[in-house]
Amino acid sequence: MIKSDWIRKENLLPFLLILSHLSSYDFYESDREAIEYGLMGTSDEDNIWFEYKLIGKKTISLRLAKDPEGNLLFYNVDFPDEMKEPMELMDYILSSFSMMPIGL
């Protein structure tokens, strides 16, 4: 199943941590650095995307791109069908609130 939407730039880390948890993937600082680096030069308007896979007990494939102003990140997430409800909840929370994890 594929979900496409957007998140606020400041919600990137919570977004990645939630996806990692849902896929049982051990997310490391090096993952965060690779994704932040990969986002440089992306553009949803120019159809330039960064792709990354979270391979845990379940695999989640990500495509990410910045908007022209850099305040939003557009995403396409390919995930197993049984994750539909948790993904919808995550999408609602991250598009409605500004979040930052505690202790990171």
Side-chain angles (χ1 to χ4, degrees):
M1 180 168 280
I2 296 176
K3 175 133 184 79
S4 299
D5 212 333
W6 60 270
I7 58 170
R8 291 174 176 88
K9 181 181 173 183
E10 65 266 18
N11 283 344
L12 177 60
L13 183 57
F15 174 74
L16 296 170
L17 291 173
I18 292 168
L19 291 177
S20 296
H21 179 78
L22 291 173
S23 66
S24 299
Y25 175 78
D26 292 328
F27 191 83
Y28 295 102
E29 182 66 23
S30 58
D31 292 299
R32 176 182 171 171
E33 291 168 354
I35 292 168
E36 288 177 349
Y37 181 79
L39 278 167
M40 295 169 41
T42 63
S43 168
D44 70 305
E45 285 187 350
D46 296 327
N47 200 28
I48 301 170
W49 296 76
F50 173 71
E51 297 183 20
Y52 201 82
K53 287 190 183 223
L54 303 173
I55 303 172
K57 289 182 182 174
K58 299 173 185 166
T59 297
I60 294 177
S61 298
L62 306 169
R63 291 181 71 227
L64 300 161
K66 296 185 297 186
D67 75 325
E69 291 80 40
N71 299 323
L72 299 178
L73 297 174
F74 291 90
Y75 68 82
N76 297 316
V77 179
D78 189 354
F79 58 93
D81 291 347
E82 67 267 14
M83 294 173 65
K84 182 182 179 194
E85 289 181 15
M87 290 294 292
E88 287 175 352
L89 178 60
M90 178 199 67
D91 182 54
Y92 168 75
I93 291 169
L94 292 177
S95 64
S96 300
F97 302 95
S98 209
M99 303 182 72
M100 196 51 152
I102 297 172
L104 292 179

